[in-house]
């Protein structure tokens, strides 16, 4: 019969507890920073992109210009396009769709609020909501359908930021609750181990007392 030593048993239990805390406290990385407004106002990149500046469609650069024009309009109607800020070289893969935060693709559909070919001739006005560097933002701008360039800027998306902030608080609370539950189970386990060790020590002490009180029997030969 194989016996497990006390040291090996403690190592096994410690490994089990470590696995348990990793499993129970697993959480995704937060999508947003704690103070989005402050970062948007003070971060140098956001300060540059929040000013209206020249933007350009960057898709299919290896294709002829007339083909790129058609592809750009097709992509806009599909609800996406690659746009770059010329001054900073910042490239964005924008999505022009309502319910952009939904996990269901059928909910994310381009509407006139996000893709508007009718506001001005030869231009398309675009709007996109997304999270950039931990901050909820909104891109607004227009692109000339012939030149494939235009004007755009970033805005702070206060409405979505509040939603994400609530989700962040719930995520932190859930993590802390799971951590407290794990620590409580760990404390309970240590108490059980201490009681078991005390009980085993009492048994050993009792056996030693019995052994010491027994008188050995001797025989004499004639």
């Amino acid at each position: 019969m194989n016996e497990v030593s006390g040291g090996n048993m403690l190592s096994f239990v410690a490994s089990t507890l470590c696995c348990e805390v990793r499993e129970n406290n697993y959480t995704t990385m937060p999508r947003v920073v704690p103070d989005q407004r402050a970062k948007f106002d003070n971060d140098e990149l956001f300060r540059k992109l929040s000013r209206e500046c020249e933007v350009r469609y960057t898709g299919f650069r290896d294709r002829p210009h007339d083909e790129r024009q058609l592809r750009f309009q097709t992509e806009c109607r599909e609800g996406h396009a690659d746009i770059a800020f010329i001054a900073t070289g910042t490239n964005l893969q924008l999505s022009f769709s309502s319910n952009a935060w939904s996990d269901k693709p059928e909910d994310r559909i381009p509407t006139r609020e996000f893709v508007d070919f009718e506001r001005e001739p030869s231009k398309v006005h675009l709007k996109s909501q997304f999270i950039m560097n931990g901050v909820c933002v909104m891109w607004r701008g227009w692109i000339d359908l012939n030149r494939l360039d235009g004007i755009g800027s970033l805005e702070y998306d206060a409405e979505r930021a509040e939603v994400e902030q609530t989700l962040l608080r719930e995520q932190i609370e859930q993590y802390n609750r799971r951590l407290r539950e794990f620590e409580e189970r760990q404390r309970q386990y240590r108490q059980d181990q201490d009681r078991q060790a005390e009980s085993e020590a009492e048994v050993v002490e009792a056996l030693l007392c019995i052994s010491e009180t027994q008188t050995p029997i001797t025989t004499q030969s004639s």
Side-chain angles (χ1 to χ4, degrees), residues 210-220:
I210 294 173
S211 176
E212 292 174 354
T213 56
Q214 285 181 343
T215 303
I217 302 174
T218 59
T219 57
Q220 296 181 350

Side-chain angles (χ1 to χ4, degrees), residues 10-27:
L10 289 175
S11 298
F12 169 76
V13 171
S15 299
T16 303
L17 289 172
C18 288
C19 292
E20 183 180 357
V21 71
R22 281 196 297 267
E23 178 180 355
N24 291 340
N25 291 323
Y26 174 78
T27 182

Side-chain angles (χ1 to χ4, degrees), residues 22-110:
R22 281 196 297 267
E23 178 180 355
N24 291 340
N25 291 323
Y26 174 78
T27 182
T28 57
M29 290 294 293
R31 288 154 54 97
V32 296
V33 297
D35 193 342
Q36 299 179 65
R37 178 85 247 187
K39 181 167 183 178
F40 183 83
D41 291 339
N42 299 316
D43 185 271
E44 184 64 26
L45 179 60
F46 283 128
R47 289 166 61 182
K48 290 180 179 179
L49 300 183
S50 63
R51 296 189 290 267
E52 287 192 347
C53 54
E54 185 180 1
V55 295
R56 183 175 299 164
Y57 172 63
T58 58
F60 301 96
R61 294 181 180 179
D62 59 334
R63 309 306 301 166
H65 187 73
D66 56 347
E67 180 180 340
R68 295 184 69 228
Q69 291 174 329
L70 293 175
R71 287 184 178 273
F72 172 66
Q73 295 187 43
T74 299
E75 288 186 347
C76 287
R77 290 187 169 90
E78 292 174 348
H80 63 90
D82 294 343
I83 305 294
F85 286 91
I86 304 304
T88 62
T90 305
N91 291 274
L92 301 174
Q93 294 181 327
L94 300 179
S95 175
F96 315 116
S97 59
S98 59
N99 302 314
W101 313 103
S102 175
D103 294 330
K104 300 179 181 179
E106 59 269 22
D107 292 342
R108 302 190 299 270
I109 56 175

Side-chain angles (χ1 to χ4, degrees), residues 70-217:
L70 293 175
R71 287 184 178 273
F72 172 66
Q73 295 187 43
T74 299
E75 288 186 347
C76 287
R77 290 187 169 90
E78 292 174 348
H80 63 90
D82 294 343
I83 305 294
F85 286 91
I86 304 304
T88 62
T90 305
N91 291 274
L92 301 174
Q93 294 181 327
L94 300 179
S95 175
F96 315 116
S97 59
S98 59
N99 302 314
W101 313 103
S102 175
D103 294 330
K104 300 179 181 179
E106 59 269 22
D107 292 342
R108 302 190 299 270
I109 56 175
T111 63
R112 188 174 174 181
E113 178 187 358
F114 294 85
V115 182
D116 189 352
F117 284 94
E118 301 179 13
R119 187 183 303 184
E120 291 186 77
S122 302
K123 292 182 181 180
V124 58
H125 286 257
L126 302 169
K127 171 183 172 181
S128 179
Q129 296 173 289
F130 54 98
I131 296 174
M132 179 177 177
N133 296 345
V135 179
C136 292
V137 296
M138 186 183 305
W139 187 94
R140 291 182 188 268
W142 57 266
I143 301 290
D144 187 284
L145 298 177
N146 296 314
R147 301 193 312 269
L148 300 182
D149 60 16
I151 298 296
S153 63
L154 285 184
E155 302 174 11
Y156 179 65
D157 192 344
E159 182 177 350
R160 185 62 200 183
E162 182 60 32
V163 173
E164 290 293 331
Q165 203 66 30
T166 300
L167 294 175
L168 176 62
R169 287 194 295 267
E170 292 175 352
Q171 186 179 12
I172 293 174
E173 290 172 1
Q174 183 183 47
Y175 174 82
N176 290 335
R177 183 176 64 254
R178 290 180 176 178
L179 185 59
R180 287 193 300 269
E181 291 172 353
F182 168 76
E183 291 174 344
E184 175 60 25
R185 288 194 299 272
Q186 192 177 45
R187 185 186 63 80
Q188 185 63 45
Y189 168 77
R190 288 171 177 167
Q191 289 180 348
D192 293 342
Q193 288 294 100
D194 291 341
R195 284 194 293 267
Q196 181 180 352
E198 291 174 0
S199 177
E200 291 176 352
E202 291 174 356
V203 171
V204 171
E205 185 178 358
L207 292 175
L208 290 175
C209 290
I210 294 173
S211 176
E212 292 174 354
T213 56
Q214 285 181 343
T215 303
I217 302 174

